[in-house]
Amino acid sequence: MSARTNLLDFTPAEALERLKAWCADKGEAAYRAGQVIQHLWMQPVADFEGITTLPKALRAKLAEDFYIGRLALTTRQKSEDGTQKFLFKLFDGEQIETVAIPDGDRMTLCISSQAGCALKCAFCATGAMGYVRNLTAGEIAGQVRELRLLADGPITATNIVFMGMGEPLMNWKAVDKVLTILNDPKGFGIGARHITISTVGVLPGIVALGKRPEQFRLAISIHAPTDDLRARLMPVNTKYPLDDVIEAAKVFDRRVTFEYVMLGGVNDGPEHALQLAKLATDCGAFVNLIPLHPGGSQGFKPTPRERIISFSREIRKAGVEVAIRKSRGMDISAACGQLKTERTKDRAKAAATA
Ligand code: SAH
């Protein structure tokens, strides 16, 4: 007997095709496939038993060949500002984080694309963990799905940012599928302009994203305006140097955002502001200044608020659009990799005192 297939690892069109073939094979009516699809993403259910439009016997038969992959919620934290952080356990015990950030009518979900991360950016908690594995499409899109299934009421995403754990463009095959699942009306139906991929600048991935016809947004983690400094903060800069990343941003056919985490005394001088403004001008980028989340950032200190404001003015004076990202969920360590780091530390502490 072959292993069961996770229906969440497919785009809605692929899943429909598979299910139709399965129905034909089993002598079931083809419209049953459409009934299943309805409940993968649009009106998610916990398992086939929840698809009450199907006869009971058919639900059991489906479960012999397919399953709907779930992620086990292990921790949930709520910040004073309404931001919520979720830690999910995967089938192999790996843990990933998802953050839900409400802002007026918007609900932005920050999702993970890998367990751990290979890139070792000096200020990032996920980088310090090292790389474990790529997530499957079902595990990435599944984070959005799980929040729709919460026992005490669904959280429905209006916006998605790939700014959780991992480097999405190093897992392009799965992320490519997830973009379809998120955007497809038979998936979550979230507008492409409301979906942002954040990358350190993985060049082949930027090209692949640029080839998609939808208007998905691209954010590039720049964090330093010179090769020397960037290589110190982001080891990936030796593989994908700043010049090449800027070139890729120039040829990307949509507007890009530069992300720039403010590291006190490291990348926040007036000369950095001018250099950054020049790069942004070269490729028509918008600059997003990110206050450092100190948890897990290993020896860096945040740039003081007044300095972030003056840095942003220096950039604006040079004719570049700039915003300071609101820091959310400070009290629950809602930055990249921080919840998992905390839990692991707790476990280590418990083990040491046991
Ligand atoms: N690998 C991708 C996406 C995940 S990280 C990327 O690097 O873009 C999402 C953003 O959070 C990146 O800009 C990353 O540099 C930033 N980040 C990581 N650690 C941070 C911290 N301690 N404080 C603020 N931002 C951080």
Side-chain angles (χ1 to χ4, degrees):
M1 202 193 93
S2 64
R4 295 186 307 152
T5 305
N6 183 4
L7 286 176
L8 303 187
D9 279 332
F10 300 108
T11 65
E14 289 167 349
L16 187 63
E17 200 181 309
R18 287 214 166 214
L19 284 163
K20 276 190 177 156
W22 182 88
C23 286
D25 192 43
K26 302 285 176 185
E28 299 285 346
Y31 75 92
R32 296 295 188 192
Q35 288 179 313
V36 177
I37 294 296
Q38 182 77 23
H39 295 283
L40 294 182
W41 310 108
M42 289 181 275
Q43 294 164 266
V45 291
D47 52 32
F48 294 122
E49 279 311 305
I51 310 182
T52 50
T53 45
L54 300 179
K56 269 211 164 273
L58 180 53
R59 295 179 219 167
K61 215 154 115 183
L62 274 165
E64 285 171 16
D65 292 325
F66 300 106
Y67 67 101
I68 300 177
R70 299 294 308 273
L71 314 176
L73 180 60
T74 57
T75 308
R76 177 176 184 174
Q77 293 180 338
K78 192 161 186 171
S79 159
E80 282 171 5
D81 68 17
T83 301
Q84 292 194 66
K85 183 148 178 165
F86 301 85
L87 191 63
F88 290 110
K89 196 179 211 156
L90 309 178
F91 73 94
D92 56 358
E94 285 308 321
Q95 305 210 71
I96 54 163
E97 302 172 356
T98 308
V99 182
I101 309 158
D103 192 7
D105 299 342
R106 276 198 281 178
M107 177 59 79
T108 302
L109 298 196
C110 176
I111 61 174
S112 296
S113 56
Q114 298 180 316
C117 183
L119 298 173
K120 304 207 175 307
C121 296
F123 45 82
C124 176
T126 309
M129 290 171 200
Y131 171 75
V132 183
R133 69 169 172 88
N134 275 330
L135 301 185
T136 66
E139 287 169 334
I140 303 171
Q143 297 164 58
V144 183
R145 190 176 191 277
E146 287 300 332
L147 297 201
R148 293 277 300 274
L149 289 171
L150 291 171
D152 62 349
I155 293 179
T156 302
T158 61
N159 295 65
I160 303 286
V161 294
F162 284 76
M163 294 185 188
M165 298 163 74
E167 168 50 53
L169 296 186
M170 301 258 259
N171 186 12
W172 174 249
K173 211 169 149 220
V175 167
D176 190 22
K177 255 182 208 208
V178 172
L179 290 173
T180 302
I181 294 169
L182 294 172
N183 180 238
D184 192 322
K186 288 199 163 67
F188 287 115
I190 300 171
R193 285 189 181 80
H194 297 155
I195 301 170
T196 302
I197 300 275
S198 176
T199 179
V200 295
V202 176
L203 300 175
I206 295 179
V207 172
L209 180 64
K211 282 192 181 141
R212 293 220 29 166
E214 306 93 336
Q215 301 286 303
F216 297 117
R217 296 204 181 263
L218 173 65
I220 304 182
S221 295
I222 295 288
H223 302 328
T226 61
D227 257 325
D228 274 1
L229 181 56
R230 193 163 189 267
R232 272 200 280 143
L233 300 174
M234 304 173 70
V236 72
N237 193 71
T238 48
K239 181 154 189 196
Y240 300 120
L242 188 57
D243 278 354
D244 295 354
V245 173
I246 298 297
E247 197 50 42
K250 263 189 219 167
V251 300
F252 193 75
D253 70 346
R254 278 105 63 186
R255 186 147 196 230
V256 304
T257 299
F258 282 178
E259 292 169 275
Y260 196 89
V261 63
M262 302 294 298
L263 305 168
V266 174
N267 66 353
D268 59 354
E271 71 282 16
H272 299 125
L274 284 179
Q275 289 161 334
L276 179 61
K278 162 96 177 54
L279 295 180
T281 306
D282 285 351
C283 42
F286 178 94
V287 173
N288 222 330
L289 301 176
I290 313 175
L292 176 72
H293 265 260
S297 62
Q298 308 157 60
F300 291 94
K301 51 181 198 306
T303 298
R305 184 80 195 163
E306 318 78 71
R307 178 62 203 138
I308 298 184
I309 293 169
S310 53
F311 193 91
S312 76
R313 284 207 192 103
E314 287 149 22
I315 291 177
R316 193 167 296 120
K317 241 185 9 217
V320 172
E321 260 187 88
V322 53
I324 301 171
R325 180 165 314 154
K326 264 195 247 172
S327 255
R328 300 290 301 266
M330 277 295 196
D331 50 333
I332 56 165
S333 313
C336 202
Q338 291 185 3
L339 179 59
K340 178 162 187 289
T341 306
E342 241 172 48
R343 302 291 299 175
T344 314
K345 275 195 204 137
D346 286 352
R347 271 209 302 280
K349 249 190 256 161
T353 53

